[in-house]
Amino acid sequence: MAGILSAITLEEAGLTDYTVYEKADRLGGTWRENTYPGLSCDVPSHLYCYSFDLNPEWSRLYSPGDEIESYFERVAAEHGVVSHVRFGDEVVRCVFDEGRWHLTTAGGVHDDVDVVIAATGVLHHPKYPDIEGLDSFGGAVFHSARWDHDVALEGRRVGIVGTGSTAMQIVSAIVDRTAALSLFQRTAQWVMPAVNPAYTEEEKAAFRTDRHLMEGLRDSVAQLFDHFSDGIVDARSPEMAMIERFCLDNLENSVTDPELRERLRPDYRAACKRLVVSTNFYEAIQRPGAELVTEAIVRVERDGVFTADGRLHELDVLVLATGFQVDAFVRPVSVVGRDGVDLDAVWVDRPEAYLSISVPDFPNFFMLNGPNGPVGNFSLVEVAELQIGYIMQLVERLRRGDGREISATHAALARFEAARVAAAANTIWATGCRSWYLDDRGIPAAWPWPFRQFRAQMAEPEWEAYELRS
Ligand SMILES: Cc1cc2nc3c(=O)[nH]c(=O)nc-3n(C[C@H](O)[C@H](O)[C@H](O)COP(=O)(O)OP(=O)(O)OC[C@H]3O[C@@H](n4cnc5c(N)ncnc54)[C@H](O)[C@@H]3O)c2cc1C
């Protein structure tokens, strides 16, 4: 998504001497790697797409993953950027020396470039749980982002570890295909109710002929998400109270068995962890073959999962829906900036970047969806579009010859981080839950202000935050 976006933006700016490095053999990123049953985006499709390539063909309000992948592939092809992609080779090292970046790939290619845009993804490196005996499992075991489609689910006993959005989507999609389904829950989740209607042929035809219809729809969804962001960045806001009410009503009204309802009831506030948006998770977990397991996992054995109550849950398939290493960003690429400064050393405590885009001493190196940006139930496409617009303004200064090296100053990053950490204390993420939004200090690693403030900041750089060197 972000790499294709960068390529299209560079083309449009007339900067045609660029290469997109893609270690896989196809485009699609997240939507290529995640192929699990039920995969969909939980941002409505008319917002989860590029503003310059609205898509009248979306099948549903929330379209499935393979449709999203096809969309990105089509857009890349139609904008003629695929020939610029070097597939099947991983960038392993970027070193800044004498005003240029020197890139090395795993395949031994060396390239010298003026500017690096790191569009390496956010939820990209799967995180595996540290469970004793995982290797001893006699059935099939795989991470949700590495789904093994050779493994049949029909009539089999399937266990799912994790209760994030992915796990919930999988449960809803497969519960009726399995002989038995066990969902191993460490933490209960708030579930935002949703409907997912298909677009009719008439609606699609109208979208095709009248772009304003799609724009209007996109704007209204964006406004809803703005209200949502107003809520999560202010835990005491009326918007937050409304979100909590929706989730609570959903739990109360959808789960009939009081004992199950209590086990599904989180002990923290809604949206403290990333909200699960689902049309039918509660219905699925109440199906006859489904079981919610809330006893802690002690170990995995050859025949299944052994829990703290002394029970062995016999399984044929074990799915690890345990998320991603969210603080990797461009790593494990070795990035060495000015005067030999190593990004691994700079980020030894935690990753930081001015406005999530630029790191001091790493000139002409810009990140899309970098550290501490807007995350959580937003359209990261919208985020990346705003960021690339901002980055292009930095690049324009180089292009105009105002300097050869541009990066945020240390003072700007320190000021930004101080303000960000202070504001983060007011967000819903800081209200006492364990989540992947929190850094090693327990501080939300995210943009803690309303989304419209992000839009405003991305509109034009504050130039005093940057150092230009010739
Ligand atoms: C299951 C799931 C559901 C999601 N749902 C939503 C949602 O509802 N809304 C939302 O906004 N976001 C969602 N996301 C987040 C999603 O990752 C982003 O929306 C978006 O796809 C990120 O695009 P990207 O291009 O930044 O990164 P990616 O899609 O991760 O692409 C990064 C690409 O860079 C390549 N790459 C990485 N490192 C290197 C290297 N060193 N050399 C060469 N190539 C490299 C990778 O192979 C990959 O193709 C979801 C993610 C997952 C996993």
Side-chain angles (χ1 to χ4, degrees):
M1 179 279 284
I4 295 165
L5 170 68
S6 307
I8 294 170
T9 310
L10 290 167
E11 284 279 347
E12 280 174 1
L15 291 165
T16 52
D17 186 5
Y18 67 90
T19 301
V20 180
Y21 300 85
E22 172 51 68
K23 63 185 172 181
D25 57 7
R26 320 188 265 122
L27 297 174
T30 289
W31 308 101
R32 173 194 69 234
E33 283 167 6
N34 289 269
T35 59
Y36 60 77
L39 170 68
S40 88
C41 190
D42 55 23
V43 172
S45 301
H46 281 279
L47 186 59
Y48 193 82
C49 60
Y50 301 125
S51 60
F52 53 83
D53 219 315
L54 303 183
N55 177 21
E57 311 303 333
W58 290 122
S59 63
R60 293 185 168 274
L61 183 62
Y62 304 96
S63 301
D66 55 353
E67 221 179 287
I68 300 172
E69 184 191 2
S70 305
Y71 165 81
F72 286 125
E73 283 181 325
R74 175 183 65 71
V75 173
E78 285 179 6
H79 285 265
V81 299
V82 183
S83 58
H84 285 258
V85 185
R86 188 180 298 157
F87 288 104
D89 201 3
E90 179 174 359
V91 174
V92 290
R93 196 164 156 78
C94 304
V95 179
F96 189 76
D97 192 31
E98 297 192 353
R100 301 198 87 195
W101 283 97
H102 306 282
L103 268 54
T104 308
T105 70
V109 172
H110 298 279
D111 278 343
D112 296 341
V113 302
D114 298 308
V115 171
V116 174
I117 297 174
T120 47
V122 201
L123 305 181
H124 176 56
H125 301 284
K127 191 167 101 192
Y128 288 85
D130 185 15
I131 304 175
E132 184 192 325
L134 201 51
D135 292 345
S136 64
F137 184 57
V141 56
F142 46 83
H143 191 279
S144 56
R146 301 284 180 271
W147 195 272
D148 186 345
H149 291 276
D150 292 337
V151 174
L153 302 176
E154 279 66 23
R156 311 199 56 198
R157 299 162 302 176
V158 179
I160 299 166
V161 180
T163 48
S165 302
T166 288
M168 309 308 219
Q169 290 180 350
I170 295 170
V171 169
S172 304
I174 70 170
V175 67
D176 289 336
R177 291 163 58 188
T178 59
L181 184 147
S182 309
L183 176 64
F184 295 92
Q185 169 182 288
R186 182 175 62 186
T187 318
Q189 295 276 1
W190 287 108
V191 180
M192 183 72 140
V195 290
N196 192 15
Y199 288 110
T200 62
E201 285 313 312
E202 289 73 29
E203 283 171 317
K204 288 189 217 169
F207 287 147
R208 269 176 226 128
T209 49
D210 186 356
R211 186 190 155 86
H212 296 302
L213 280 178
M214 284 190 288
E215 283 169 351
L217 180 58
R218 183 182 172 92
D219 286 350
S220 55
V221 177
Q223 267 177 30
L224 268 179
F225 275 77
D226 276 6
H227 289 309
F228 180 79
S229 94
D230 292 343
I232 53 181
V233 299
D234 178 1
R236 286 166 304 211
S237 61
E239 289 88 353
M240 196 60 245
M242 199 161 79
I243 293 166
E244 290 179 299
R245 172 56 52 195
F246 279 137
C247 295
L248 186 62
D249 287 351
N250 192 24
L251 175 68
E252 301 290 357
N253 300 333
S254 311
V255 185
T256 48
D257 173 2
E259 195 260 340
L260 178 64
R261 193 188 309 135
E262 288 322 301
R263 291 197 297 132
L264 285 167
R265 188 186 301 276
D267 59 3
Y268 55 87
R269 293 182 61 186
C272 184
K273 292 164 79 75
R274 189 179 191 273
L275 261 189
V276 172
V277 180
S278 177
T279 57
N280 59 348
F281 167 70
Y282 285 143
E283 190 195 330
I285 198 67
Q286 294 176 90
R287 284 276 218 261
E291 182 184 4
L292 179 76
V293 182
T294 48
E295 290 289 336
I297 295 175
V298 174
R299 61 179 175 271
V300 172
E301 300 182 354
R302 195 196 58 173
D303 294 329
V305 172
F306 189 85
T307 48
D309 54 352
R311 202 176 137 200
L312 177 67
H313 302 260
E314 292 189 24
L315 299 170
D316 304 306
V317 181
L318 186 58
V319 178
L320 308 172
T322 44
F324 298 88
Q325 296 168 36
V326 293
D327 61 353
F329 298 100
V330 63
R331 297 175 290 184
V333 180
S334 158
V335 184
V336 180
R338 192 185 274 148
D339 303 328
V341 179
D342 194 319
L343 191 66
D344 268 338
V346 174
W347 283 0
V348 67
D349 292 327
R350 68 199 67 90
E352 286 179 352
Y354 174 66
L355 291 175
S356 99
I357 285 176
S358 173
V359 183
D361 297 328
F362 292 77
N364 311 349
F365 181 92
F366 312 118
M367 284 173 284
L368 289 173
N369 286 313
N372 307 319
V375 288
N377 301 97
F378 289 121
S379 167
L380 289 190
V381 183
E382 197 185 2
V383 171
E385 275 197 45
L386 291 164
Q387 290 173 327
I388 195 73
Y390 180 101
I391 290 170
M392 290 307 286
Q393 296 181 63
L394 303 179
V395 170
E396 184 56 29
R397 296 289 301 268
L398 302 174
R399 200 182 181 187
R400 284 208 313 249
D402 293 349
R404 283 191 66 199
E405 302 179 12
I406 188 165
S407 56
T409 64
H410 285 276
L413 175 59
R415 257 195 323 273
F416 170 70
E417 271 301 288
R420 195 187 66 73
V421 166
N426 304 322
T427 65
I428 192 70
W429 306 308
T431 54
C433 67
R434 185 172 150 183
S435 82
W436 60 262
Y437 294 144
L438 302 181
D439 69 15
D440 58 302
R441 302 165 294 183
I443 293 172
W447 179 263
W449 299 286
F451 195 71
R452 64 180 73 82
Q453 191 170 330
F454 181 72
R455 273 196 207 100
Q457 288 225 245
M458 288 296 104
E460 194 189 349
E462 282 172 26
W463 293 110
E464 58 277 15
Y466 285 91
E467 179 193 25
L468 264 160
R469 285 195 194 174
S470 34

